[in-house]
Structure formats: structure tokens, C-alpha cells
Amino acid sequence: MAFKHKNAKRIEGLDVNVWVEFTKVAADPSIVNLGQGLPDISPPSYVKEELAKAATVDRLNQYTRGFGHPLLVKALSQVYEKVCGRKIDPYTDILVTVGGYGSLFSAIQGLIEEGDEVIIIEPFFDCYQPMVKMAGGKPVFIPLRYKTVVGNSASSADWVLDPTELASKFNSRTKAIILNTPHNPIGKVFTKEELQVIADLCIKHDTLCISDEVYEWLVYKGNKHIKIATLPGMWERTITIGSAGKTYSVTGWKLGWSIGPPHLIKHLQVVQQNTLYTCPTPLQEALAQALWIDFKRMDDPDCYFYSLSRELEGKRNRMAQLLQEVGLKPVIPDGGYFMIVDVSALNVDLSDMEANQHYDYKFVKWMTKSKKLSAIPLTAFCGPDTKKQFEKYIRFCFIKQDSTLDAAEVILKNWNKPTS
């Protein structure tokens, strides 16, 4: 007898997930995993020590305030008051959630209605589209377009939005635009001029901005991260998202936050109180203590907010050189810890693989199996109309120990040697 209970329509077609598929493909411990954004470097010792301390305090093993542990929201307000140059109320302007994912979910569920249009910049972090669809919204895509550059490398700054094309996506049904800077997967750091174009359109069309800034501290020399919420007229219409996992390399803690005006944050709080309720108290306490340590030294270059990007810049440069040495043209990121590369120059014959998959999916599966090196296909970050534009690109993650990058180097240097 057929079972009558089927999935809710709001999740129809959302069952395919790149992380589920490629985590399984790269599960063999002999594979060098440069796919998922999973740091294998150690978090700062004081961050781990604060968690150990928190676990010994009985009251910190119980529920805390649902919208954010009091000490944590106070620490976040102090850090971001300094960054944004404005007063931020810890209790009305901040919501602590289960990672950046939780922040995105509460923002989209709390603010997007059936039929609302949400502009998504391609490539995009893969959960944006399904979250908008689950809320009943309509994703409207606009791609970053590549300005062709001569040479053996390109910069993430070479990928830009066309202002006229962007303006054409706004109309009376546009409820929000999702911005991601520094950008995943390309690593683009939007300039003030680029952000102003977006801000002007948001103000003109009375549109919200959900600004995913989880890589805010990971910006490399010659670049500056600017929060769109700090531009005139944007604080009152922007939700800014941050992440402990990206700030302190503790992705397993799954703590994130949303910052914005009370008239928006209150709707996210309603979603939180009726879904997750609260986040783990010991983790929030430890994060608060770590933030206080770094808040007090924000004028010191040794502050972890700045020192991690200096460490990663060397890893970024090494990754780029390795790819260039095998004849590839990487896109050098200005921020974040991912690097995309066009693999078409390798001329790998994939005709014997599944015909219904895009080239990058087939390439990554082939590379993982035959070369023992994993990555993520870029079309996982694209809407249906631009997959062809991006299917020759794959994404590598370089927030890895030197030993992991050493292993990747061996594979890349021996790329053209036959495998046994």
C-alpha cells in the first residue's frame, strides 16, 4: 500500500545538497580534503581554555537568555559599536543564533512573505536559494560578471555587478537583496563604490538588505571590509550576519549573530523563540570571554581579528602558486579562505561519466577518485540559468595546516604522472 504522507510543498525540490553529496565522496581519510570550508588549523588557545572554564560552572550548563547570552550580546555590542561607529543595544539590536545559517534562516523566515522577490548575487552560498523558497519567496538571480584579464592569474576584484543589470532586477515586489562580502566562493570584497550602488537601489525601492559578512575579518592587504549598514540610510534596512566559526576557526561551535535595528531584529527573535529557543550556554560564555579579550586589543595588530588574515595570506599565495605551476589560472581572493580556479586547461576527458551532470561535478568526482584530492563544484552556487557560465570552475579551501597543503602540493606536482 502506498504511504499517503508526502513532503510539505515548501521543501519540494530542495532535497539535493552539495555538502551531503561531496562530504560523502571525500570521506575516505586518504583523500586530501580541500573541499568543505573546514579549518584544520587550531583555534586560539584562549578560546578553547574559556570553553573548558565555562563547562565547570554549574549555572552555565543550563538555559540562558533565548535571544543571546547576556555577556555575549554585551561583548558583541562593544565590538560592533567600535566597528560601525554607532550605538548598538545588546538586547534589542542583536540576536544570537545557531551559526550564520541560523541567522539567515531567522532573517528570511521573519521578513520574507509569499510572493516576495529576493535578489541573489551569483555565485551564492548554496543555502540562500532554498531558504528563500521555503519562505514562499521568489529568488531573482544576478551574476557577477568576469572582466577578462591577461596573465596567469586573476583577482576576485575582476568579478563585478553590472549596475544597469542590477537596477533592472529591482521592482515593487522586491523585498530584499542578499549580499555576501567578503564573498563565498569567489573571495570578492565589495568596494564602497559597489556597495553604494546597492544601497542607492535599496533606498530607492524601499528594499531590505540581508548582508552575510561571516568572513568580515578575513581581508587581505590592500583591501578593506566595509559594512553596508554603515552607509547613509542603510542601518534601518539591513540585517548584518556574523559568525564565531569564521571569526575564531571554531565551525563546530555553530554560533552566529544578526545585528540590525530593533524594528527588524524583533521579527527574527519571534522566529528564534518558536524554533530553536536558545543556543548552548557554555559556548556563548566562552565566545563572550574570547571577544572581550580581542575587543581590548582591537588597536593592536596582534588582535586575532587581524592576525588570522595575515597567516592565511601566506596560505592563499601558496595555493595560487601551486595551481599556476600546473598551468591553471586561479582567481586570487581579496578575502575569505576559498579560491576558485578554471580547470578547463587540464583537458580531462569525462565523457564516460554521468551525462546529466555539469562538468565541474564530474571533474570533482573524477579528481577525488583518481587523484585523491577533493574540491567543491562551483555550479552548486548557481541558479539554473548560469550553471553553464561557471561549470569549468571548482572551489578549493586553503584554511588548512601546512601538512595538508604539503599533501595537496604533492598531488598537483605529480598531476600528469599516471596513477596506479
Side-chain angles (χ1 to χ4, degrees):
M1 187 177 88
F3 192 61
K4 69 176 183 178
H5 299 291
K6 298 181 179 179
N7 59 273
K9 286 185 179 177
R10 63 180 168 271
I11 64 165
E12 189 71 44
L14 304 181
D15 51 322
V16 176
N17 182 279
V18 67
W19 311 114
V20 173
E21 182 175 0
F22 282 90
T23 300
K24 194 184 301 180
V25 169
D28 181 343
S30 70
I31 291 168
V32 180
N33 190 346
L34 300 186
Q36 191 175 7
L38 191 71
D40 66 4
I41 64 172
S42 179
S45 57
Y46 59 90
V47 175
K48 295 183 286 184
E49 288 162 7
E50 292 297 343
L51 180 57
K53 285 184 203 172
T56 66
V57 181
D58 286 347
R59 65 177 175 80
L60 295 177
N61 288 290
Q62 307 304 327
Y63 295 133
T64 187
R65 176 176 173 269
F67 302 143
H69 187 50
L71 191 66
L72 177 54
V73 291
K74 287 175 185 174
L76 287 167
S77 71
Q78 292 296 297
V79 170
Y80 287 103
E81 281 182 0
K82 191 173 180 72
V83 171
C84 298
R86 66 172 301 127
K87 180 72 177 170
I88 295 176
D89 188 294
Y91 296 106
T92 63
D93 299 355
I94 299 174
L95 171 66
V96 176
T97 61
V98 178
Y101 257 84
S103 294
L104 287 161
F105 181 80
S106 59
I108 292 168
Q109 284 290 320
L111 298 169
I112 305 304
E113 294 189 86
E114 188 82 30
D116 284 344
E117 293 187 1
V118 179
I119 297 171
I120 299 176
I121 299 167
E122 299 174 288
F124 53 85
F125 187 58
D126 70 300
C127 72
Y128 296 168
Q129 179 185 11
M131 284 189 183
V132 169
K133 285 187 169 183
M134 276 193 285
K138 177 187 175 185
V140 175
F141 301 108
I142 179 167
L144 288 165
R145 299 198 179 276
Y146 177 53
K147 298 185 300 183
T148 304
V149 177
V150 178
N152 66 346
S153 69
S155 165
S156 58
D158 299 328
W159 295 75
V160 296
L161 289 172
D162 180 308
T164 303
E165 185 180 14
L166 178 62
S168 74
K169 302 295 181 179
F170 283 78
N171 59 57
S172 60
R173 297 180 300 279
T174 306
K175 184 66 170 287
I177 181 170
I178 301 178
L179 172 68
N180 180 206
T181 182
H183 183 271
N184 174 17
I186 289 178
K188 177 182 178 64
V189 176
F190 283 75
T191 65
K192 186 174 182 179
E193 292 73 23
E194 290 174 315
L195 294 175
Q196 191 64 60
V197 170
I198 297 171
D200 289 345
L201 289 166
C202 286
I203 292 167
K204 178 181 178 180
H205 295 274
D206 192 20
T207 297
L208 301 173
C209 180
I210 300 170
S211 191
D212 180 352
E213 302 180 16
V214 296
Y215 300 100
E216 60 189 310
W217 302 110
L218 302 179
V219 176
Y220 303 119
K221 282 178 193 168
N223 299 280
K224 183 180 180 183
H225 174 62
I226 297 169
K227 292 185 173 296
I228 196 169
T230 63
L231 300 185
M234 287 304 291
W235 167 259
E236 56 264 36
R237 63 179 66 254
T238 302
I239 297 292
T240 303
I241 293 169
S243 162
K246 307 305 188 291
T247 300
Y248 284 115
S249 304
V250 287
T251 58
W253 287 26
K254 288 301 293 179
L255 286 178
W257 49 86
S258 303
I259 298 176
H263 63 266
L264 295 181
I265 292 293
K266 68 180 181 181
H267 303 309
L268 280 63
Q269 290 175 334
V270 171
V271 175
Q272 173 107 339
Q273 73 189 26
N274 291 295
T275 50
L276 304 170
Y277 176 57
T278 192
C279 298
T281 310
L283 292 170
Q284 292 192 72
E285 173 76 14
L287 176 58
Q289 297 293 353
L291 286 169
W292 283 121
I293 290 170
D294 282 305
F295 169 70
K296 291 170 184 172
R297 55 180 184 176
M298 281 181 75
D299 295 324
D300 183 336
D302 289 333
C303 174
Y304 191 73
F305 298 159
Y306 319 127
S307 64
L308 178 58
S309 63
R310 291 198 302 272
E311 177 185 352
L312 290 182
E313 190 158 353
K315 295 179 184 293
R316 177 199 70 168
N317 295 344
R318 182 183 181 191
M319 187 83 241
Q321 183 178 348
L322 291 176
L323 294 169
Q324 288 166 343
E325 285 174 355
V326 294
L328 297 177
K329 186 174 180 178
V331 176
I332 312 299
D334 291 331
Y337 46 60
F338 300 109
M339 183 177 295
I340 68 168
V341 61
D342 183 342
V343 296
S344 55
L346 294 172
N347 294 315
V348 177
D349 181 7
L350 304 174
S351 57
D352 60 337
M353 298 187 69
E354 300 171 63
N356 63 340
Q357 288 199 322
H358 286 277
Y359 184 88
D360 56 343
Y361 266 73
K362 293 189 284 188
F363 181 89
V364 171
K365 288 180 179 178
W366 169 85
M367 180 174 71
T368 305
K369 182 178 179 181
S370 65
K371 301 294 185 182
K372 299 293 185 181
L373 179 65
S374 75
I376 293 292
L378 212 70
T379 57
F381 303 89
C382 300
D385 296 334
T386 53
K387 288 186 184 293
K388 273 288 179 188
Q389 179 184 337
F390 291 103
E391 73 168 346
K392 294 299 176 71
Y393 287 90
I394 64 173
R395 189 196 79 170
F396 287 112
C397 174
F398 56 84
I399 187 168
K400 301 293 181 180
Q401 294 177 10
D402 287 343
S403 58
T404 305
L405 296 178
D406 290 344
E409 179 176 7
V410 170
I411 293 169
L412 289 168
K413 285 189 171 180
N414 291 288
W415 185 270
N416 292 319
K417 293 182 180 178
T419 52
S420 55

